[in-house]
Structure formats: structure tokens, C-alpha cells
Amino acid sequence: MLVMVVHGLLWLLTLFFTPISFLPSTRASVLTELITPKARHLNLLRSALQRQSSDFQGDEQWNPLDDQGWSPSVQSSNKGALPEKAEGYLQVFLDGGLNQQRMGICDAVAVAKILNATLVIPYLEVNAVWQDSSSFSDIFDMDHFIDILKDDIRIVRELPDEFSWSTREYYATAIRPNRIKTAPAHASLNWYLENVSPVLQSYGLAAIAPFSHRLTFDNVPTNIQLLRCKVNFQALEFVPHVRELGDALVNRLRYKSDGSYLQEITDSNVKHAGKFVALHLRFDKDMAAHSACDFGGGKAEKLSLAKYRQVMWQGRVLNSRFTDEELRSQGRCPLTPEEVGLLLAAMGFDNNTRLYLASHKVYGGEARISALRTLFPLMEDKKSLASAEERAQISGKASLLAAVDYYVSMHSDVFISASPGNMHNALVGHRTYKNLKTIRPNMPLLGQLFLNKSLSWSDFRDSVIEGHMNRQGQIRLRKPKQSLYTYPAPDCMCAA
């Protein structure tokens, strides 16, 4: 292992300091791509590699969370039998990625309950970024969903024939009286009773589009909050093939194999199960551009991201008003793979750590994650753990790829996300609900530490450890306007 680490360090240094003119011409174009996103914290990187090859590491970083005196609520979300007759059908159209849609599904169930409406299985819009056309039944176990909620609301897989005209295309071609297009963000219960209930009574069907973040988290009856919790933490279960692939990946992370994809799990090797960290690394071009931060890719990268901002948002990005230093000191820049690696190394995870990379696509490619891979040579992902044949059902489908990552992350010993976002929020909330260790990077602290180019490794490590003492899954009670999907206590949990 020492040889691997030293070799990796030498490779990195050669890569960063060898002029292009001295490299073979057949490889120059490839290495130009690799060199573009340069490591930005070489002193810390060198120290981290040397430390990992020589220092003794304890196991405190792997310790599970102590009992915090909170447990999932066992209160019923159902206040008696369903009314004999529903007011009509509720149809919602959900945009965004997997986790934004997940939250929308939870809210749709709650709104159906509020209105005494029959919920039509939500329609998932084609994601504008990933172009994924996966439907609800492609991602979630529909039978399980309906069965778990059967005592709470009525659910149908599709509208009856008399409403077969109610399609996405129908609402896209003209103004329709039964479509609610102006639902405000975080609308109150009264708003739905005053604006949607009359539509149900008049037409027998209300279609709400768009429907993301359209229900408040405050001043909501306890049974409605509990119902949202029930949907998120019990009813939304991934389809069997996603769970089966997820279980296979988890097993391969925990049990060292002989190099083959398939390995029988026996009583003898279960006793020697290993631990692993799941890292959600959202570092796509969309996020990099919107942050307006400098990620070390030089003038070409800055120009590329500026052009992207102009195309996507006509240049109207709030962060672009600030300098890179101002943004970093405020913790408004997503962590790069290199910076996440240094954070984990400072917290005691050594180069024997199994690291699962939960990521769809990293802006900058392999070059961007080379420093992270050198720090953690046992880093794996879906492609390295499963064959193309095993991945066939999820290949090219962003929502299913994210579903597998979500599943594996929920089964990891430690989870960390490089930046806030819907995946981060969903997993932080779900893992809090199950009292699982989850590192929340202290972004302002890390931004300031990484700006200090003269900082020693020991000072960096001490600051990181101190700054993350209470950011590893400790219960945080939800405050007004905060999401119960991120902060499930006290709405979804009971204090002992």
C-alpha cells in the first residue's frame, strides 16, 4: 500500500509540473485535458499523502452515532376511515430531478388528503438537464406505494376513460379551466381549499402544473405532517431491480472479492464485513457555472462557465457579483473532489478507506477527481463495481442512476455530500430519521481554510476536526420555513 501511495504522489507531481512540450505528441491532447483542472492545494495534498502512509489511524471516525433520544414517530397519520366519496381526481406534474420529484410526491399525497381527492399517480416531467423520461413506475414500487397509503388516501394508477383527455400535451396547447397554473411556492392549506377545491367540485378533476415546493411546512395539522413523513420514509421504495443492484454494490464494498463481480456472501465472510463511506459528489457544469467560483481550470474554464451562465440564465447569477475570495469565505462555493478528499483525510479516513462515489457526471472528468483518487485509491462507483450487463436497466437513465446512488448511500456507514442540493437534503433527512452518521461540511470554515495557502497540515486537520464535532448526524430540530424532509425532527420523530 505504501508503494501505491508514493507512486500516486509521484504521478501527481509529474502530471502537474511536466511541460506539455516534453510529453509524447500522441498523448499531449489527452494530458492537456488532464492538466486543465489543476490541484489547488498541493501543500495540503502532499502532507495528506505522507500522513496517510505513516501515521496510525484510530477508528473513531467509523463509530456509529449514539442514541440521541429520538426515534421515528409511531403515531398514526390516519384519523379514521376514508370519506365514502372523494371530491374528484387530483393530477400533478412534477419537474426537477429524482429528489425534487420525491418531495413533490410527498406533498401531492398531503394535498390529496387535504382536499379529499383521489390522487392519480404523479406524472414525472422529462428532466431538462438529463433528458430522462423515466415514469413513476420506472423508479418507485407502485404496488408498495399504494398499499402503504391505502388507509390514508385513494390512489389510482391512471385516470378513468372519461378523463383520458387530461394529458401533458392537452395542457400545453391552450389555457384549460381545470388546470391550476398559479399555485404559489409553499402555499397554505387554506389556499388549496379556496382555489383547488372549487375546481374539483366543478370539473371532477384538478391538474396542478407546476407542482414543486407547493405546500407549506408551517401551520400544518399533525396528521398531515405525519402523512408526509410516512410517504417519504415508508411508501417511496425503489423498484426491485434498483434495490437488487444496490444490495450487490453494498456487498461488494463491504466484502473484498477476488476481482469478479459476483461473489457469494457466506457466514464466514459476513463476520469480516468492511465499512465504507458514500460520497455524493455533485460537481456538474450547471452547478459549477451557477456558483461563479474559480475551480482552477484557468482562463479557458472561466470563459466556458461564463458563456454557460449567459446561455442558461442570461448572466443573471447573484454570485457573479462577488469575487472568488468573497464567495469562498462565505462558504458559497461547492467543494471540489480534491477538497472533499482533504476534508475526509483530516477527519481520519486513511488510504485503506473504501469510498463509494455517488455521482452522475463530474465536470472536468477524471482529471478533476485524480487527486481524490490518489488520496483514496480504493474509491469505487457503479461502473467499477458492476458489469455492463448488470447496469443495463439503469444505463442512460439519470433518475435510476441517482436511485441506485441513493440506495447505496442509505446503506453506507458514513455519508458526506460535497455541496448542498436536493440529493444532499434528502439523504441528510433520511439518515437523520434512521440515526446514521452523516458529515455536513462546514462550508464557511472550509472556504476560509482553503484560502490560507500557508496553512500547515496539522493546523488544517485540527481546525477541520474541531469545526465538524457537531456536524456528523446530530439531531437538529426543524425551524420555521425549513423542510421536514431535511429536518425530520420533531414532525416525523418522537423524543424519548
Side-chain angles (χ1 to χ4, degrees):
M1 181 57 69
L2 176 59
V3 173
M4 286 177 61
V5 172
V6 173
H7 180 75
L9 177 58
L10 291 174
W11 177 84
L12 267 179
L13 296 178
T14 302
L15 181 64
F16 295 141
F17 297 115
T18 303
I20 288 291
S21 58
F22 290 100
L23 295 168
S25 58
T26 56
R27 297 169 59 199
S29 61
V30 175
L31 287 172
T32 299
E33 179 69 17
L34 288 174
I35 289 174
T36 300
K38 295 179 182 178
R40 306 193 73 195
H41 313 289
L42 276 175
N43 289 334
L44 291 176
L45 188 59
R46 292 191 192 99
S47 298
L49 287 166
Q50 292 169 357
R51 175 199 63 85
Q52 288 189 333
S53 63
S54 60
D55 291 357
F56 172 78
Q57 296 295 321
D59 291 327
E60 289 184 7
Q61 68 275 20
W62 293 110
N63 289 345
L65 291 175
D66 294 329
D67 183 356
Q68 301 185 67
W70 288 83
S71 60
S73 177
V74 294
Q75 285 183 267
S76 173
S77 58
N78 185 22
K79 284 190 172 182
L82 290 174
E84 288 185 11
K85 184 179 179 182
E87 294 293 333
Y89 293 94
L90 177 67
Q91 191 175 28
V92 298
F93 297 82
L94 303 175
D95 54 12
L98 171 70
N99 293 292
Q100 185 173 325
Q101 291 172 337
R102 182 188 185 101
M103 298 170 200
I105 293 166
C106 299
D107 288 348
V109 170
V111 170
K113 182 71 171 181
I114 293 164
L115 298 173
N116 182 30
T118 297
L119 179 67
V120 184
I121 288 293
Y123 178 90
L124 308 186
E125 301 274 18
V126 176
N127 187 283
V129 176
W130 306 117
Q131 293 297 307
D132 187 352
S133 59
S134 297
S135 67
F136 184 103
S137 61
D138 290 330
I139 304 169
F140 300 107
D141 187 328
M142 192 184 300
D143 290 336
H144 176 80
F145 180 78
I146 294 173
D147 182 62
I148 290 294
L149 299 173
K150 66 179 183 296
D151 295 327
D152 295 285
I153 64 167
R154 294 178 175 87
I155 303 174
V156 294
R157 298 168 189 269
E158 55 187 27
L159 285 165
D161 291 343
E162 63 186 292
F163 294 113
S164 60
W165 46 264
S166 183
T167 63
R168 189 70 186 88
E169 293 71 27
Y170 173 76
Y171 296 111
T173 55
I175 297 174
R176 309 297 184 181
N178 69 305
R179 177 190 175 184
I180 291 88
K181 191 177 180 180
T182 57
H186 308 298
S188 68
L189 276 66
N190 284 339
W191 187 92
Y192 283 98
L193 292 171
E194 293 170 4
N195 294 274
V196 183
S197 189
V199 175
L200 281 172
Q201 293 168 5
S202 297
Y203 300 97
L205 167 66
I208 308 179
F211 189 80
S212 293
H213 310 295
R214 290 301 191 270
L215 180 62
T216 183
F217 290 107
D218 302 319
N219 301 314
V220 177
T222 299
N223 70 308
I224 299 297
Q225 296 289 61
L226 285 171
L227 180 56
R228 294 164 104 174
C229 305
K230 184 176 182 178
V231 181
N232 193 38
F233 301 125
Q234 298 178 44
L236 285 176
E237 191 171 84
F238 295 124
V239 290
H241 75 83
V242 166
R243 302 198 307 270
E244 289 166 8
L245 178 57
D247 285 333
L249 299 185
V250 170
N251 285 337
R252 291 164 197 175
L253 285 160
R254 293 205 182 283
Y255 310 109
K256 293 183 179 180
S257 68
D258 57 5
S260 61
Y261 287 116
L262 300 176
Q263 180 183 2
E264 183 180 358
I265 306 303
T266 63
D267 290 339
S268 60
N269 59 22
V270 162
K271 295 178 182 178
H272 299 92
K275 297 180 179 181
F276 72 96
V277 176
L279 164 59
H280 175 240
L281 187 60
R282 187 190 168 189
F283 201 83
D284 52 59
K285 191 170 185 177
D286 192 74
M287 169 171 277
H290 197 269
S291 73
C293 299
D294 179 6
F295 298 107
K299 292 181 179 179
E301 182 175 88
K302 289 181 181 179
L303 180 61
S304 174
L305 294 178
K307 287 182 177 178
Y308 189 88
R309 280 192 291 273
Q310 188 61 41
V311 171
M312 297 297 293
W313 308 289
Q314 293 74 51
R316 295 192 296 270
V317 174
L318 179 63
N319 280 6
S320 59
R321 303 176 186 177
F322 302 94
T323 66
D324 182 70
E325 184 172 338
E326 289 172 332
L327 292 171
R328 290 187 180 281
S329 63
Q330 296 169 25
R332 295 168 72 172
C333 292
L335 297 178
T336 65
E338 174 193 8
E339 290 167 345
V340 176
L342 291 170
L343 165 61
L344 287 171
M347 295 189 72
F349 296 97
D350 63 21
N351 54 7
N352 290 308
T353 298
R354 278 285 177 115
L355 189 65
Y356 177 78
L357 187 60
S359 176
H360 180 64
K361 187 177 182 181
V362 176
Y363 177 58
E366 180 62 29
R368 186 75 70 184
I369 62 175
S370 60
L372 175 64
R373 193 179 297 280
T374 304
L375 284 167
F376 296 98
L378 300 183
M379 184 168 70
E380 307 279 5
D381 59 19
K382 293 179 287 293
K383 287 186 177 181
S384 66
L385 289 169
S387 67
E389 183 179 1
E390 289 175 301
R391 292 182 280 110
Q393 286 184 274
I394 65 170
S395 181
K397 300 174 182 177
S399 292
L400 290 175
L401 291 165
V404 172
D405 283 340
Y406 190 106
Y407 187 89
V408 174
S409 296
M410 278 303 301
H411 288 78
S412 66
D413 299 279
V414 180
F415 173 77
I416 182 172
S417 181
S419 59
N422 289 324
M423 182 82 153
H424 165 93
N425 293 339
L427 278 164
V428 165
H430 206 157
R431 289 178 65 88
T432 297
Y433 184 76
K434 291 185 173 291
N435 199 43
L436 301 174
K437 194 163 193 174
T438 307
I439 300 171
R440 295 183 299 111
N442 188 330
M443 303 297 278
L445 170 67
L446 292 168
Q448 293 167 28
L449 292 177
F450 286 127
L451 283 171
N452 185 351
K453 299 302 181 183
S454 62
L455 192 66
S456 69
W457 172 255
S458 60
D459 287 341
F460 173 78
R461 180 193 59 208
D462 293 345
S463 296
V464 165
I465 292 174
E466 182 180 354
H468 291 83
M469 289 285 290
N470 297 311
R471 302 180 67 89
Q472 300 185 42
Q474 288 82 359
I475 292 286
R476 295 175 295 159
L477 299 183
R478 187 179 71 83
K479 298 176 182 178
K481 297 185 179 180
Q482 289 183 332
S483 168
L484 64 78
Y485 308 125
T486 307
Y487 304 93
D491 303 272
C492 307
M493 304 179 75
C494 296

